[in-house]
Amino acid sequence: MWWNGQGLDRSIDDGHGNNWHFRVWSGISEQRIYFWDERKETTGVAVFKNNQTLHIRRIKDRMIKIAKDKSYRDGFLCEPSFPLEKFY
């Protein structure tokens, strides 16, 4: 289910004037952090399964790292279908 509230559906500035947007999906044994830039030119999803699932504080930390660290972000690049809520 989509995790709304607790600041997980906010945008984060990467320090270079670019805003990154996030949506978090959480299931029984899997969490997904979907992300995209303003123009949806760079998109991706970070998937954490089973024992890799994260507490909310760690999810927020990963969101910040995705926004600010290009090399980390590059490991999760893909093209999810938008609007996310319709397809996932």
Side-chain angles (χ1 to χ4, degrees):
M1 81 173 147
W2 291 105
W3 197 339
N4 298 318
Q6 295 181 290
L8 295 177
D9 54 353
R10 66 189 172 122
S11 61
I12 298 174
D13 183 78
D14 66 3
H16 302 286
N18 302 312
N19 282 319
W20 291 89
H21 302 276
F22 296 89
R23 289 286 285 143
V24 176
W25 183 90
S26 184
I28 293 172
S29 61
E30 181 176 283
Q31 293 169 330
R32 298 177 185 183
I33 302 173
Y34 292 88
F35 62 92
W36 61 95
D37 63 358
E38 282 290 323
R39 294 177 302 272
K40 294 184 182 170
E41 292 175 349
T42 305
T43 61
V45 59
V47 178
F48 303 96
K49 294 184 178 188
N50 300 319
N51 63 343
Q52 294 178 327
T53 59
L54 306 170
H55 183 271
I56 188 167
R57 178 70 250 157
R58 296 286 181 225
I59 292 172
K60 289 179 180 181
D61 290 344
R62 296 291 169 101
M63 289 167 57
I64 292 168
K65 188 165 183 151
I66 288 168
K68 295 183 182 264
D69 186 341
K70 184 183 179 329
S71 62
Y72 182 73
R73 180 173 59 242
D74 286 349
F76 302 111
L77 296 180
C78 68
E79 295 184 24
S81 299
F82 290 93
L84 295 173
E85 292 81 357
K86 180 178 179 182
F87 295 101
Y88 302 98

